């Protein structure tokens, strides 16, 4: 049994690595749009449809995610990720219409993530869940580290068409790897999903601070990936890759050296420090004038994202029965993409005034995550003192 778990986990991880490589290539879209002369509001609007697509598609999976066959779903969505970007080559008169392919990219990528993570949740032993999710998520960081660096070199030298060819090749290789492992099966105690099951889980008040922290995490990711290129270009720098090298390298360092602690240290303590560092990374971006600060901002952001993403995901699963893990994964990704949607639109409007103000206001908003953590600790003490 353990050998099967190891084999499936490795196959999932390698396929996920190349999927994330393909997806990360399109992190260069904001740079492409900036160089094409689009305004920050237009870019923010288009990129916000990453989150909107996910939010509108995820609810349709709510009643089937714990019962569908992951391999089949992954295969179909990988093929769609090769086809959909062809719409970027349609010469739309209104640039905002490029939100259409971004909508479908965001939606179907959310389906990919749900399928990968839900499938993994069934094969990981309970006592290795935090560590396992952290290491599995590292495949995404390795993909970003490789693809953005190579992709930006390809884009600067040859243009967007060859970015599409590069990304499509990576998705095709992931599809090939996917065929190496058997179709996954849902949990044996999984029954036909009912609305009542969802309501029972949502009645747990403890999960709502987690939902807000996940929203905060998505807001930070949306701000960084959409508006970093504008900050870099406005500072007279030519490439965004220093950030996209420092960010995933920091995540990888943390997960390979410290992720074993995620299962041992109290969860709120793990969450507290990156909740402080996350707004600090946004403030640092607002002062970027050189590659040095670009790297520092990547390190700070990588520290916070590298801890929060796997920890919050695994933390949320603690409030989920085995047969509900796929649907709980949907809640995670819904809130995460909601954060991306708000960051892209709100940040785009603020950026029309000042791109640096976008990050300063965003940093102020992100401090609410740490405030919620403090209040979550104080309220039980106040109630106990009144008794």
């Amino acid at each position: 049994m353990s050998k099967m778990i190891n084999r499936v986990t490795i196959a999932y991880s390698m396929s996920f690595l190349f999927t994330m490589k393909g997806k990360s290539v399109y992190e260069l879209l904001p740079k492409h749009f900036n160089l094409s002369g689009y305004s920050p509001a237009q870019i923010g609007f288009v990129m916000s449809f990453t989150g909107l697509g996910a939010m509108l598609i995820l609810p349709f999976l709510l009643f089937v995610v714990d019962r569908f066959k992951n391999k089949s779903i992954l295969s179909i969505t990988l093929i769609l990720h090769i086809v959909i970007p062809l719409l970027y080559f349609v010469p739309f008169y209104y640039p905002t219409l490029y939100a259409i392919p971004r909508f479908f990219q965001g939606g179907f990528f959310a389906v990919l993530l749900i399928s990968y993570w839900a499938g993994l949740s069934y094969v990981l032993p309970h006592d290795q869940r935090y560590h396992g999710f952290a290491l599995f998520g590292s495949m995404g960081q390795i993909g970003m580290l490789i693809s953005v660096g190579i992709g930006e070199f390809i884009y600067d030298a040859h243009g967007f068409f060859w970015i599409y060819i590069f990304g499509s090749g990576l998705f095709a290789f992931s599809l090939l790897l996917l065929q190496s492992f058997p179709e996954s099966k849902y949990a044996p105690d999984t029954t036909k999903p009912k609305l009542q099951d969802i309501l029972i889980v949502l009645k747990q008040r403890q999960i709502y601070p987690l939902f807000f922290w996940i929203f905060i995490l998505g807001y930070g990711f949306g701000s960084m990936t959409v508006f970093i290129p504008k900050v870099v270009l406005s500072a007279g720098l030519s490439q965004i890759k220093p950030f996209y090298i420092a960010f995933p390298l920091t995540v990888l360092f943390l997960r390979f050296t410290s992720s074993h602690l995620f299962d041992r240290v109290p969860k709120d303590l793990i969450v507290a420090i990156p909740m402080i560092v996350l707004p600090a990374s946004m403030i640092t971006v607002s002062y970027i004038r050189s590659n040095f600060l670009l790297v520092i901002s990547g390190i700070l952001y990588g520290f916070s994202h590298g801890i929060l993403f796997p920890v919050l995901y695994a933390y949320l699963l603690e409030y989920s029965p085995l047969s509900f893990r796929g649907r709980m994964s949907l809640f995670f990704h819904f809130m995460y993409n909601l954060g991306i949607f708000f960051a892209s639109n709100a940040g785009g409007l603020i950026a029309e005034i000042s791109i640096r103000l976008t990050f300063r206001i965003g940093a102020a908003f992100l401090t609410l995550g740490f405030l919620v953590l403090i209040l979550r600790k104080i309220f039980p003490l106040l109630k106990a003192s009144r008794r």
Side-chain angles (χ1 to χ4, degrees), residues 137-187:
S138 298
M139 296 297 104
Q141 304 306 319
I142 295 172
M144 179 182 294
L145 177 65
I146 296 171
S147 290
V148 175
I150 296 175
E152 189 168 32
F153 173 79
I154 293 172
Y155 177 81
D156 290 342
H158 304 290
F160 188 73
F161 173 76
W162 286 100
I163 284 291
Y164 167 74
I165 297 298
F166 180 49
S168 297
L170 293 168
F171 282 125
F173 193 72
S174 177
L175 181 63
L176 183 64
L177 285 171
L178 194 65
Q179 310 314 309
S180 67
F181 58 87
E183 181 68 87
S184 59
K185 297 179 180 180
Y186 49 82

Side-chain angles (χ1 to χ4, degrees), residues 54-55 58 62 110 113-114 117 210-218 255 305 307-317 324-340:
M55 288 189 293
L58 289 178
L62 200 57
L113 284 180
I114 294 298
W117 286 81
L210 294 176
F211 282 165
F212 182 68
W213 292 336
I214 296 164
F215 174 83
I216 287 288
L217 185 64
R255 292 184 181 173
H305 185 92
I307 295 175
L308 288 175
F309 196 98
V311 168
L312 291 179
Y313 185 87
Y315 200 170
L316 195 62
L317 287 185
F324 200 85
R325 287 181 185 171
R327 280 163 283 177
M328 192 63 93
S329 180
L330 285 178
F331 287 133
F332 179 94
H333 289 287
F334 183 89
M335 295 307 300
Y336 185 74
N337 283 282
L338 183 64
I340 292 174

